Amino acid sequence: MIYIVFHSADFDGLGSAVIAASGMGYNEERKDLFKFIPYNYQSKLMYDKEHELVEMVKKGDFIFFVDCFYTKDLGAIKE
């Protein structure tokens, strides 16, 4: 499974997710290999998504974070 976590507060996050998936071969036949996870560091819902993501990821899966602001997101991800 390929997880793409993207900043959902604006369209450049969604665009980044689409571009990343496209570059990794996303298409109609392979869409079940991808899971898109919207994320916003200003929302408490982010924490629910993180915990859900930790429980979902298996050995051999990949996680990509796109359109994230490093210093703010790093603090939130560590918690």
Side-chain angles (χ1 to χ4, degrees):
M1 180 70 67
I2 297 171
Y3 298 95
I4 300 177
V5 181
F6 66 95
H7 185 216
S8 62
D10 45 35
F11 288 116
D12 63 329
L14 179 59
S16 297
V18 169
I19 291 167
S22 178
M24 289 183 269
Y26 180 88
N27 60 34
E28 188 65 30
E29 294 172 3
R30 300 184 70 210
K31 69 181 181 182
D32 292 338
L33 296 174
F34 292 81
K35 182 161 179 73
F36 296 89
I37 300 174
Y39 147 84
N40 185 2
Y41 52 79
Q42 295 175 342
S43 169
K44 299 252 184 216
L45 293 175
M46 178 193 77
Y47 296 103
D48 296 334
K49 291 291 183 189
E50 282 181 19
H51 293 296
E52 177 183 317
L53 181 61
V54 169
E55 293 170 6
M56 290 187 306
V57 174
K58 308 280 187 264
K59 186 176 181 175
D61 288 347
F62 295 92
I63 305 172
F64 295 91
F65 289 84
V66 295
D67 191 38
C68 296
F69 182 58
Y70 180 75
T71 54
K72 286 184 181 180
D73 296 336
L74 183 61
I77 291 166
K78 284 184 176 179
E79 293 177 2

